[in-house]
Amino acid sequence: MTAAGTDDLTLRVDGSRPVSPADVEAVLRICDRAEDGGHTGMLTVYVSGTPQPGWTVDLNVGLLTKWERAVRRLERLGLLTASVAAGDCGGTALDVLLATDVRIAVAGTRLVVPVSGDATWPGMALYRLARQTGTARLRRATLLGIPLSTEEAMIAGLLDHIVDEPDEVSEQIAGLAAAITGKELAIRRQLMLDAAEHSFEEALGSHLAACDRALRRAATS
């Protein structure tokens, strides 16, 4: 897993490798840059690869906890996040893709819940898959590890664009993201995520507070 130069908010995730401390640090570093460097616009993650047999041999719960917290931090950034997927995507690649706001896939991409031993891996990708699409569409993928094709993932709402060349779509989305204030995006993303769990009455206070904030910002602009 690698991060690009200081002026380019780009991360590359190789899902063919098991998660490592270096992977955790790479995600945390780019989150630091996105939050502390005065950046606006979009953070782009290129994801590909799925784990090979035996990939969990050296894993432990402590490392997995750090990884999941790093991915959660990425998921809650003030900037818009976009993933560009190619080929089979599983493991860390699937984890990060499911944590991004906009998902672009090269035609032929497949989403793969990796297998460990005699069953699929029970990481937080299963949680995000179920929360984002519901369980009915995903039984075969989550229980049997059968890959989701690009078309199936698109129908399930896990992907937003299927393209042959992703650069043009990425540039269009980056142009839209450039006009969005980071903290405002983060607030609206959280309201959207909370909606799946909160009743109308529970959500009302948060939405009214966000409306009040928007009115005050408009009055002072």
Side-chain angles (χ1 to χ4, degrees):
M1 188 175 299
T2 59
T6 57
D7 296 326
D8 185 11
L9 286 178
T10 302
L11 182 69
R12 297 185 182 277
V13 179
D14 181 359
S16 68
R17 301 183 306 159
V19 64
S20 70
D23 294 332
V24 175
E25 288 302 314
V27 174
L28 294 178
R29 279 197 306 271
I30 203 160
C31 289
D32 286 341
R33 286 173 45 207
E35 293 172 344
D36 302 333
H39 288 281
T40 59
M42 186 172 77
L43 186 156
T44 306
V45 189
Y46 292 88
V47 297
S48 63
T50 195
Q52 303 301 309
W55 66 284
T56 61
V57 171
D58 295 322
L59 291 184
N60 59 74
V61 172
L63 175 59
L64 292 172
T65 300
K66 292 177 180 178
W67 169 250
E68 296 293 0
R69 287 176 176 167
V71 174
R72 181 60 168 164
R73 184 178 171 192
L74 177 72
E75 189 174 34
R76 302 177 75 178
L77 278 181
L79 291 184
L80 186 79
T81 57
S83 53
V84 178
D88 283 0
C89 293
T92 55
L94 181 62
D95 288 341
V96 173
L97 179 144
L98 294 174
T100 54
D101 297 315
V102 181
R103 295 91 180 263
I104 305 165
V106 175
T109 296
R110 300 192 305 173
L111 306 188
V112 183
V113 178
V115 173
S116 172
D118 58 357
T120 53
W121 180 244
M124 289 301 287
L126 294 188
Y127 168 85
R128 289 188 174 91
L129 284 168
R131 185 171 181 181
Q132 293 173 21
T133 70
T135 59
R137 293 183 182 276
L138 299 169
R139 284 192 296 267
R140 295 195 311 157
T142 57
L143 299 179
L144 301 175
I146 297 174
L148 286 168
S149 69
T150 315
E151 292 73 19
E152 289 171 326
M154 186 82 170
I155 292 170
L158 298 172
L159 298 174
D160 300 301
H161 302 276
I162 303 173
V163 296
D164 292 320
E165 296 292 337
D167 291 348
E168 182 177 351
V169 174
S170 295
E171 290 172 3
Q172 291 173 352
I173 295 169
L176 295 172
I180 302 173
T181 303
K183 189 164 186 178
E184 299 308 307
L185 182 145
I187 290 171
R188 284 147 184 78
R189 182 199 291 124
Q190 194 59 51
L191 291 173
M192 179 182 65
L193 294 175
D194 290 345
E197 298 179 346
H198 294 173
S199 69
F200 178 89
E201 289 74 16
E202 291 171 326
L204 180 59
S206 297
H207 282 264
L208 289 176
C211 290
D212 181 61
R213 173 184 170 86
L215 291 172
R216 287 186 283 108
R217 291 181 73 247
T220 58
S221 62

